[in-house]
Structure formats: structure tokens, C-alpha cells
Amino acid sequence: MKKFPENFWWGAATSGPQSEGRFHKKHANVFDYHYEIDPSAFYDQVGPDTASNFYNDYKNDLQLMKEVGMNSLRTSIQWSRLIDDLEKNTVDQNAVDFYNHVIDAMLEIGLTPVMNLHHFDLPVELYQKYGGWESKKVVELYVGFAEKCFELFGDRVKYWTTHNEPMVVVEGQYLFQFHYPNLVDGKKAVQVAYNLNLASAKAIAKFKAMDLKDAQIGTVLNLTPTYAASESPEDQEAARIAELWNNKMFLEPAIFGHFPSELEELLTRDGVLWETSDEEKAIFKQNTIDFLGVNYYHPNRVKAPDVAPDSVGAWMPDRYYDAYDMPGRRVNLDRGWEIYPQALYDIAINIKENYGNIPWYVSENGMGVSNEERFMNADGMIEDDYRIEFVKEHLTWLHKGIEAGSNCFGYHMWTPIDCWSWLNAYKNRYGFISNNIHTQIKTIKKSGRWFKQVAEQNGWEA
Ligand code: BGP
């Protein structure tokens, strides 16, 4: 038997904006707004309005999650739903009732709730008025929202996370133009990265001051481990900087309470360092995470840049490294991401050796596949053997990492029920449970049945 540690979390993750639908939501987040002004930016012009109808269907959905063996679920509380007046941080009572019902329903059926506070879904008004995460005013407003969440739900929710993949906000909105407002501005990107880290530390400060019983707080990072194309000093240097920028910029403040000095030196030399203060440095120092969530999809392979990093032009972090397309790599062509399960072992060992072996869990992993109806059998079940293989391979490497002493306490799949994706909408499906978006009929896939057995046995017969 491949056995996992006792009380291992077997579960899955989704987010409010990708599952609930906009029903009765007072404010638009940046994605709601982007869809309003430019539906053609979204696959098949499908927006987040209905998503997977979790707002109306949560009881049935949670029951299905239980049926695939999940003992825990991460979702998020939408800032744009919970808060009524964004400046005064008053709450919308309908939203409070909704999240109370969801949390109570989860506890009733034995699904441990993990609640995230920000999953790319900034209320658009705060972008329009203050420039969103560019502004420390927005950091304060977010902290007020977080505090409300702890007050309202902290008696029952014992696991909180401050952000999901803050790096995606930096890259999508400020560097590589894949999320609204699609800016290209390296200097702003640096400040946004800092402010997101600061928001997390300040929310943690509020959380700690409240002294909630048995509750823990963490953050969710997309760790894309960096692999250099070769042993050459140039490729190794490219990998060092890519690792600093993509991973350490968030990992180190979260775990150690300060930014990596090598990164600060590089940004200072390039004249783009963030605005900081001694007071803020003290906040980082005192407010580190209790546990880490790691989203892992694909590795980051890099090589020395073709163009010299000191070339003339606006500052961008990727002037220091180029993407390396490794010949012979395995790829999920529907999403374009490399499949490299061994990275989960490397992550496990990295956390053990370089990050104080902090308790951590895989907070997302998964494979988005298009047109899964082609695998539907006569009973209407999708036979997604490729997903079973994918999960099994990843769990095998994770297991090796745990056996080597890494302090991993769970594995969450992205996602329980096929849900809406940012620009890809419903193109690629990730769930253990399929969703017909026209009828909202949800059906367990073969992978869901397989996962139930694994969860029940806390492993599988090797
Ligand atoms: C992660 C996000 C999720 C989810 C997932 C799948 O980066 O945290 O929100 O969307 O990726 O990616 P995509 O939906 O882009 O295929």
C-alpha cells in the first residue's frame, strides 16, 4: 500500500468567482467588468454570470463532493459579494447568510472548509478609483474585508488563506496582458507584488490579534520550480533570477518575514525597487504564515536570454531569462502546459530543506481537458482515465517527498466540479464531476469514483 499520513486532506479547490455565479452580487470584480465591456475576450463569449451555479446549487454540489471522497474543500469568499460599502467595509446581509449556509452545510457533512480571501477578484471600483493593488489604500481596504471575514466566520472556519497565486495578478494584469486591465509596466508590477505581500502580512496581523481558537492562516502560491536548460553558468544564472522573481519574492516574506536580499539588490540596481518603510518591514517580520498552500501545474524551464539583459527598453523581469522549450517534454496540449510530476517531489524537498519544513499541502493540481464528452460512456459518465493517471503520478512523487520527511498534510485537486476559468471559460474541464453548463446537471466522472477509493483507503495498493 502507498499510505499517506493520518488525517491527510483529500479534497479539491475552487473559488467564489469561478463557481458561484454573479447572482445577487452587489459589486463587479475585475473579471465581471471585463466581460461586460469585452465578451469576445472570453472563450465562446461565456462569462462568469452563471459559472457552475454554486450560489443556488451549493447543497447538491457539496453532497457530490462528499460522494467523491473529499474530506476538505477550499473555496473563496468574494470581496465583491460580502462587502456592501467598499469604503466603510459594511457587509451585505444576503452574502453573510449565503456564506454561513455554505460553511454550515460543509461542516454538517464533514467537509473541512478552507477559506481563501482573494482569488484574482478585486472589486473593479477599487481599480478604477485607486489603481487596485498598486495602492496601499486598497491594501487597507482588503485588510478590513479580511477582518470582517474572520469576525463573521472564524468561529467555524479553522483554515484561512490570504491570497491565491498573487503572482498571477502581477503577471496577468501588469506584465503579460492576460488579465484585465492588461497593462505592461514592470515598475508597477514590482509595487503590486510588494503590496500583495503586505496585504497578506497585514491580514495575518489582524487574524493573530483576534486569537481565534485552533485556527490557522496561510497563503496559496503557485510554485513553478525553475529548471535550467543546462549546467552552463549563463543558464544557471537565468534560473537563479527566475526563481528569485517567480517564487522567492512571495515565499520568503510569507515564511521568513522579509524579502530575499538578492532580489532587493537587483531591483535597486535596476531602479525599480518598491516603496517600503521600517514600519512595514516590522509587520512582515511579525506576521508569517502557519502553513503554505502550493498550487502546482507545470515546471518553469529557462535558459539564458537571447538578448543581453542590459539592452535598452522598459524594465521587465524576464529580460534576465528566456523560456526553454525542452525537446521531448510531455505536454497537455489542450492547455499547453508541460506535465512533469516529479516536480512535486522537488517542491517537497525544497520546502523541507530551505523553508524550515513548514506544514504545507498541495492546494491545486490538475489537468484541463477539452471536449471531454468524447469520453462519455453509455451511462453518461466521462471515463477520464488520463486524469486518473495524472493524479496517480503526481501523488506517487508527492508520496516519495513525504517519505523523505517533507511535512505535507494534504492534496487538493483543481477542481471538484468543472468550473469557469478566467479567459478560457468552459473550454478545458478539470473536475472530478462534470457539469453540463446548459442544464447545470452534474455527474461524477470515473476519476471521481477512483478518488473516493483512494481517499477512503488513504492511499492505494501499489
Ligand atoms: C490556477 C488558478 C485557478 C484555475 C487553474 C486552472 O492558476 O488558481 O483559478 O483557473 O489555475 O487554470 P486555467 O483555468 O487557466 O486553465
Side-chain angles (χ1 to χ4, degrees), residues 176-232:
F176 306 129
Q177 294 183 288
F178 58 89
H179 285 169
Y180 175 85
N182 299 307
L183 307 179
V184 182
D185 190 325
K187 174 106 174 91
K188 277 187 180 168
V190 168
Q191 190 64 47
V192 166
Y194 177 89
N195 288 353
L196 285 162
N197 274 303
L198 182 65
S200 181
K202 286 194 160 184
I204 294 174
K206 290 281 180 212
F207 180 86
K208 292 198 167 154
M210 286 172 73
D211 208 11
L212 294 164
K213 245 181 96 218
D214 311 322
Q216 298 188 25
I217 192 158
T219 200
V220 172
L221 303 179
N222 46 323
L223 287 192
T224 41
T226 316
Y227 298 98
S230 79
E231 292 295 320
S232 80

Side-chain angles (χ1 to χ4, degrees), residues 137-179:
K137 168 78 182 175
V138 169
V139 170
E140 291 313 316
L141 293 173
Y142 163 84
V143 173
F145 154 65
E147 194 178 12
K148 275 280 177 279
C149 292
F150 305 145
E151 273 167 26
L152 288 162
F153 312 115
D155 57 332
R156 285 152 295 152
V157 175
K158 298 300 170 198
Y159 299 92
W160 293 90
T161 55
T162 55
H163 297 300
N164 175 82
E165 302 188 350
M167 190 46 152
V168 168
V169 174
V170 176
E171 292 186 332
Q173 301 189 3
Y174 291 92
L175 295 172
F176 306 129
Q177 294 183 288
F178 58 89
H179 285 169

Side-chain angles (χ1 to χ4, degrees), residues 34-94:
H34 189 191
Y35 182 66
E36 281 171 17
I37 58 167
D38 185 12
S40 66
F42 298 81
Y43 183 78
D44 263 355
Q45 306 219 10
V46 174
D49 297 355
T50 308
S52 300
N53 197 31
F54 186 72
Y55 186 82
N56 300 301
D57 225 5
Y58 68 90
K59 275 203 178 126
N60 175 50
D61 289 0
L62 294 174
Q63 200 51 50
L64 284 168
M65 294 182 205
K66 200 61 202 165
E67 280 172 38
V68 300
M70 289 168 51
N71 59 21
S72 44
L73 165 73
R74 173 170 63 106
T75 185
S76 68
I77 296 174
Q78 292 196 70
W79 189 353
S80 56
R81 181 184 291 290
L82 187 76
I83 300 299
D84 183 31
D85 184 321
L86 291 166
E87 299 282 339
K88 297 195 186 116
N89 260 321
T90 54
V91 295
D92 178 324
Q93 194 51 46
N94 272 327

Side-chain angles (χ1 to χ4, degrees), residues 316-327:
M316 289 284 277
D318 60 347
R319 57 169 51 201
Y320 290 103
Y321 49 88
D322 282 351
Y324 170 58
D325 294 332
M326 186 180 73

Side-chain angles (χ1 to χ4, degrees), residues 13-15 18 74 119-120 164-165 168 179 220 222 295 297 335 337 364 366 368 414-415 419-425 428 430:
T14 186
S15 73
Q18 293 174 274
R74 173 170 63 106
H119 201 122
F120 319 156
N164 175 82
E165 302 188 350
V168 168
H179 285 169
V220 172
N222 46 323
N295 292 357
Y297 289 92
R335 188 63 180 80
W337 285 343
E364 285 181 29
W414 183 267
T415 186
C419 69
W420 186 78
S421 159
W422 314 106
L423 295 186
N424 283 329
N428 301 319
Y430 286 84

